[in-house]
């Protein structure tokens, strides 16, 4: 009976079996060749597993492991990936300058990254290379200009106001404390932010009573892909060797629900984005705008601006509909989870450091009062909406945001592959396996390089001996004013507070840190992310006080929040009060009192 049921699957099983067997043989041959590999002289930790090497250690709650690698081996470390493949783990600033700026045409995104993103998101920025990527970037860069951000800020302020109303409703009127899990609400808020700002469409993410298939698809995309992470290295091989028809057949035949769930998520995203794209295209052609809340966006959303720019471009510069569609889901997914995590981290820090929270709240109060006086506004200072330049220029808020994104980057690792053999120079020489100090390394063609954003942001030579300490004062002058990058030595223990030491710096697009990367593949939406973070903080802090949870579980255990570094940052509650798995940030919230400000 079993043989009869398996008979229709035999051709597929033979193909898959033969392919996997051939792949393993190929990897074993490469392992034998690795005995004479140009990377044998690069030091690194020993393999821990014949299949996984030690690659998994940098992703599985790997904060300490990542920082210890650099502490022990320096700015270039050899890592063993699947079946012993040798990869280079890079945090040296000069090497990274060559990888992401000077020779970015040599060090490109890996095939695994490009092909998997193309299957999920379409032909967006994170799924293209070379001239096609440059063409898309040329179109999108002006969309995220300061002028557009200034126009966008006031029309998305109601999202932060709605979030504040929701959280305030959970706080008792008598001034007592309520424990609230911030993560789901800030995630919903971030999703509504990026949906309205990116495509001018509201999915009512902050209304917990309303379900939405698209929102659920976006929220479950990351968990769905993580369930299939073991398949990602095989994606380029399957895409190149099998047609779309056979790939779909294989997905149907594979047991379990993981692939089917992912395909459903992708189909929902694709169908929804096409519908909204069609509506916006029709509105543009009719000289109108498809927006929200009585057309409040008025064409200020990113997609409307992009469609108008694309329509007025020359034929050579114009993007195809497939490329425009690819940007929609790319921007929404990229700007959702990482921003929500960063905002949660800030409130978690403020809950720990009550003096910082009080100082920040006082600075925001002063800024809002000053603006209200200048404009002749009579509304309560807590409800005053700061304009873009005032919001972005608040020194202490800016220092807190920068320092949080430096010490706790939402994404800690990225990969590149060498499209041709190259020599990679190093700022700080490393010790080779023979004990010799080397100041450059030969990178063979097709070598995978891991860019360590985390280790770069914690480099003690660049950021000082206190590099791993969260200290926003490093971004301020002794008088509390915001410092310009590269000017002066700042409020630091060694003059390295602004990411420059003896002329050496990281090629980061934001604050000389690597959080948003740099070069031609830097995060294109970092200005929007920064604006959103600051708007949410300045809206919530004036009326809500945050503290670490004081309540205990039924057995009297205090809830200890712990942030796992699994590639992305994942906040959990440690045992015994929590399960160490479920993402959550429970904090105690209450209404602000006068003693919650700095006493002058």
């Amino acid at each position: 009976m079993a043989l009869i049921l398996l008979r229709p699957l035999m051709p597929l099983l033979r193909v898959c079996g033969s392919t996997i067997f051939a792949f393993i043989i190929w990897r074993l041959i490469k392992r034998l060749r690795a005995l004479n590999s140009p990377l044998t002289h690069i030091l690194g930790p020993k393999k821990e597993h014949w299949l996984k090497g030690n690659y998994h250690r940098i992703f599985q709650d790997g904060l300490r492991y990542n920082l210890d690698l650099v502490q022990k081996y320096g700015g270039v470390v050899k890592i063993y990936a699947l079946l012993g493949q040798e990869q280079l783990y890079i945090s040296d600033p000069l090497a990274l300058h060559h990888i992401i700026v000077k020779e970015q045409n040599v060090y490109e995104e890996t095939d695994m990254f490009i092909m998997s993103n193309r299957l999920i998101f379409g032909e967006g920025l994170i799924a293209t290379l070379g001239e096609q990527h440059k063409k898309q970037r040329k179109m999108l860069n002006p969309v995220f200009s300061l002028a557009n951000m200034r126009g966008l800020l006031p029309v998305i302020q109601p999202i932060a106001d709605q979030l504040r109303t929701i959280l305030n409703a959970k706080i008792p009127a008598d001034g007592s404390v309520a424990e609230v899990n911030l993560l789901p609400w800030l995630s919903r808020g971030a999703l509504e932010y990026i949906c309205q700002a990116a495509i001018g469409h509201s999915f009512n993410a902050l209304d917990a009573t309303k379900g939405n298939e698209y929102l659920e698809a976006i929220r479950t995309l990351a968990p769905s892909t993580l369930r299939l992470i073991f398949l990602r290295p095989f994606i380029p091989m399957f895409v190149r060797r099998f047609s779309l028809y056979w790939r779909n057949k294989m997905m149907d035949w594979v047991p379990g629900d993981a692939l089917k769930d992912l395909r459903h998520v992708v189909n929902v995203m694709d169908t929804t984005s096409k519908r909204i794209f069609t509506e916006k295209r029709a509105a543009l052609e009719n000289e109108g705008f498809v927006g929200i809340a009585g057309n409040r966006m008025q064409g200020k959303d990113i997609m409307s601006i992009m469609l108008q720019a694309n329509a007025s471009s020359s034929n050579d510069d114009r993007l195809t509909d497939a490329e425009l569609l690819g940007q929609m889901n790319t921007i929404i997914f990229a700007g959702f989870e990482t921003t929500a995590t960063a905002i949660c981290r800030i409130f978690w820090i403020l809950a720990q450091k009550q003096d910082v929270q009080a100082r920040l709240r006082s600075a925001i109060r002063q800024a809002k009062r000053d603006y209200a006086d200048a404009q002749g506004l009579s509304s309560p200072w807590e409800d005053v909406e700061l304009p873009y330049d005032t919001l972005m220029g608040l020194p202490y808020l800016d220092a807190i945001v920068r320092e949080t994104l430096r010490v706790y980057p939402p994404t800690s690792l990225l990969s590149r592959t060498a499209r041709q053999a190259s020599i990679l120079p190093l700022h700080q020489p490393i010790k080779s396996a023979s004990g010799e100090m080397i100041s450059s390394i030969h990178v063979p063609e097709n070598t995978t390089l891991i860019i360590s954003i985390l280790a770069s942001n914690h480099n003690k030579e660049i950021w000082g001996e206190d590099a791993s300490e969260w200290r926003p004062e490093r971004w301020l002058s002794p008088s509390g004013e915001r410092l310009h990058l590269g000017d002066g030595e700042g409020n630091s223990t060694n003059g390295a507070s602004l990411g420059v030491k003896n002329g050496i710096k990281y090629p980061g697009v934001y604050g000389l840190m690597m959080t948003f990367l740099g070069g031609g593949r830097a995060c294109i939406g970092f200005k929007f992310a920064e604006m959103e973070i600051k708007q949410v903080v300045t809206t919530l802090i004036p009326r809500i006080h945050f503290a670490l949870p004081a309540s205990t579980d039924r057995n009297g255990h205090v809830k200890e929040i712990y942030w796992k570094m699994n590639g992305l940052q994942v906040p959990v509650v440690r045992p015994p009060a929590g399960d160490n798995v479920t993402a959550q940030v429970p904090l105690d919230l209450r209404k602000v009192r006068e003693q919650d400000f700095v006493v002058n």
Side-chain angles (χ1 to χ4, degrees), residues 562-577:
Y562 172 69
W563 293 76
K564 288 184 175 181
M565 197 205 81
N566 296 340
L568 297 175
Q569 306 285 340
V570 182
V572 298
V573 173
R574 276 181 159 167

Side-chain angles (χ1 to χ4, degrees), residues 234-396:
F234 301 98
I235 287 177
M237 177 183 65
F238 277 98
V239 170
R240 292 188 179 111
R241 298 193 178 192
F242 298 97
S243 66
L244 177 61
Y245 172 83
W246 283 107
R247 294 200 303 267
N248 285 332
K249 283 289 185 183
M250 291 176 188
M251 292 177 73
D252 290 334
W253 290 335
V254 169
D257 296 327
L259 274 173
K260 295 179 179 64
D261 290 345
L262 179 59
R263 185 161 64 172
H264 173 71
V265 166
V266 173
N267 286 339
V268 169
M269 291 167 52
D270 183 60
T271 302
T272 307
S273 60
K274 285 180 178 177
R275 175 178 58 80
I276 295 173
F277 178 80
T278 301
E279 292 173 356
K280 285 201 161 291
R281 168 68 61 78
L284 178 63
E285 292 173 352
N286 294 326
E287 298 184 354
F289 299 102
V290 175
I292 55 173
N295 291 329
R296 189 180 73 241
M297 296 302 291
Q298 299 178 343
K300 295 179 181 179
D301 60 276
I302 293 167
M303 178 54 66
S304 293
I305 295 171
M306 186 166 58
L307 283 172
Q308 294 177 67
N310 196 59
S312 61
S313 297
S314 65
N315 290 333
D316 291 339
D317 292 336
R318 193 169 297 158
L319 303 185
T320 66
D321 284 358
E323 289 177 295
L324 292 170
L325 278 166
Q327 313 308 330
M328 290 180 63
N329 289 325
T330 296
I331 292 171
I332 289 173
F333 180 74
F336 155 51
E337 192 166 17
T338 52
T339 306
T341 302
I343 299 173
C344 269
R345 177 78 80 161
I346 288 174
F347 283 118
W348 174 73
I349 291 171
L350 296 178
Q352 292 183 91
K353 302 178 183 295
Q354 292 295 313
D355 57 331
V356 174
Q357 184 178 162
R359 180 179 171 184
L360 176 62
R361 184 176 290 112
S362 300
I364 293 171
R365 178 172 65 176
Q366 188 61 53
K368 291 196 172 193
R369 282 178 170 173
D370 289 347
Y371 181 73
D373 291 344
Q375 299 297 316
L377 303 177
S378 58
S379 56
W381 71 265
E382 295 92 339
D383 298 330
V384 171
E385 299 175 10
L386 296 176
Y388 181 86
D389 293 303
T390 304
L391 175 69
M392 303 305 282
L394 293 177
Y396 198 53

Side-chain angles (χ1 to χ4, degrees), residues 83-116:
L83 289 171
Q85 181 191 31
E86 295 177 340
Q87 300 186 359
L88 294 177
Y89 179 97
I90 312 284
S91 61
D92 182 272
L94 182 57
L96 289 178
H97 175 75
H98 277 255
I99 291 169
I100 70 173
V101 178
K102 190 173 183 180
E103 295 182 287
Q104 55 185 298
N105 62 312
V106 174
Y107 301 99
E108 292 187 327
E109 299 279 10
T110 64
D111 290 343
M112 177 183 71
F113 180 86
I114 293 296
M115 291 184 182
S116 58

Side-chain angles (χ1 to χ4, degrees), residues 61-81:
D61 195 12
L63 174 63
R64 193 68 263 158
Y65 185 83
N66 279 264
L67 297 181
D68 287 346
L69 281 179
V70 179
Q71 183 71 25
K72 184 174 182 180
Y73 300 105
V76 179
V77 185
K78 182 166 64 179
I79 293 290
Y80 292 97

Side-chain angles (χ1 to χ4, degrees), residues 346-347 360 364 397 533-542:
I346 288 174
F347 283 118
L360 176 62
I364 293 171
L397 173 63
I533 292 169
K534 290 181 176 180
Q535 189 178 53
V536 170
V537 171
T538 55
T539 301
L540 299 187
I541 279 291

Side-chain angles (χ1 to χ4, degrees), residues 489-505:
E489 296 194 342
N491 187 2
S492 171
T493 57
N494 72 342
S497 64
L498 295 180
V500 182
K501 183 68 180 295
N502 299 327
I504 298 297
K505 60 184 180 181

